[in-house]
Structures are given as C-alpha cells and as structure tokens.
Amino acid sequence: MAMNARRTRQLREASAPLLLQDEQIELTSLASVGTVSVRRQALTAIVVGVLTLGMVMATVRPRAVYVVLTNQRILFFDANRGGKPGKLLMNMARLYVTATAARKTFLGLKVVTHLTVQGQEGTLKVDFPVQTRADGHVFAEALPVTR
C-alpha cells in the first residue's frame, strides 16, 4: 500500500516550483531518515521516566520525511507526522548519490537502504515503513549501487 492520492498530489504540488527544466518526478514516498542510537533512546527513556515519576514513557525515532525522486535529484520534505508536506529539508543531486541494495528488516515489515554521497563520510539510512516498503525497492534500484 503506497501513499494515498491526496498526499501524493500535495507532495507533487510542493515540489513543482523546485523542479528544474526537463526534470520529472519518478517516485514519491514516505520514509524515515537517519538513525537513533540505543544510548540516546535509553537516556531519553530514563530522563523522562525520572522526571515524570514513571508515569510517562518517551521514545526517540528517526525523522519522518517525504521522498521525491526525480530524474535529476532526490528531495526530502518534512512529513509533519504524516500530514501535509512541509519545508524542503534536503536536496541531493542523483549524480553524486549511490545506494545499497534494499533489504527487509524487522520481520520483513520495513525496507532499508543506505545512501552514500560522493565526497561525504558516512551513510544516510533511509527506512521505508510497512505502508511504503515496496517504494524502498524501487528507490534503491533507481540509484547506482554503493561499492
């Protein structure tokens, strides 16, 4: 199950003014970007638990974004907790980006790929949740393979 038609239309409308001449949208999807360390998750849970005397439990998770893959770039928009697309967070030229093969994680419910940007250290984890996991495979296959 992919994003609904209304959200896809809103995402296309948000990205339309940013498109270059002859640039076309190939994929729109919802994903999480980045990682959260186990240490940070534990620290947040402990601090919130202590401050609220154990009445509230908090979790930390990667940032939800809308992904727009064009024939020239990859655009990431703020997902506003699954609401209307927000501001542009990241803009990467496809020419400089490679991706690992998409792989299933967490009982096959999610699909994860790691992006590598030429000239940058480290990778950017892109995690497609259950509702858009098919898009994860399309996204990863559209980019050159990381070597």
Side-chain angles (χ1 to χ4, degrees):
M1 178 173 81
M3 290 190 326
N4 66 34
R6 185 182 84 196
R7 194 67 68 221
T8 300
R9 180 182 44 76
Q10 289 173 337
L11 190 52
R12 287 180 174 273
E13 289 172 357
S15 57
L18 305 171
L19 296 179
L20 305 172
Q21 187 171 347
D22 298 329
E23 188 172 19
Q24 297 174 356
I25 295 174
E26 295 179 359
L27 175 75
T28 58
S29 190
L30 176 68
S32 296
V33 174
T35 58
V36 178
S37 69
V38 173
R39 181 179 177 186
R40 182 170 177 202
Q41 289 176 357
L43 183 62
T44 301
I46 291 168
V47 168
V48 170
V50 168
L51 292 176
T52 63
L53 301 174
M55 307 262 297
V56 175
M57 190 67 180
T59 61
V60 182
R61 30 180 271 184
R63 184 174 196 147
V65 296
Y66 289 114
V67 178
V68 178
L69 179 68
T70 72
N71 58 344
Q72 298 177 26
R73 298 181 292 165
I74 305 169
L75 307 171
F76 294 95
F77 291 89
D78 185 15
N80 296 322
R81 296 185 191 99
K84 190 173 182 179
K87 67 179 182 174
L88 179 67
L89 300 174
M90 216 177 330
N91 174 2
M92 300 192 296
R94 275 179 68 169
L95 181 63
Y96 303 112
V97 179
T98 60
T100 60
R103 62 181 176 81
K104 292 181 180 179
T105 63
F106 194 67
L107 304 173
L109 297 177
K110 296 180 179 183
V111 171
V112 174
T113 186
H114 292 267
L115 302 181
T116 303
V117 179
Q118 188 178 32
Q120 299 291 318
E121 289 185 24
T123 62
L124 180 64
K125 181 181 176 186
V126 182
D127 188 350
F128 291 87
V130 67
Q131 67 266 28
T132 60
R133 69 179 170 219
D135 294 341
H137 293 286
V138 174
F139 179 78
E141 290 168 3
L143 299 169
V145 177
T146 300
R147 299 196 192 284

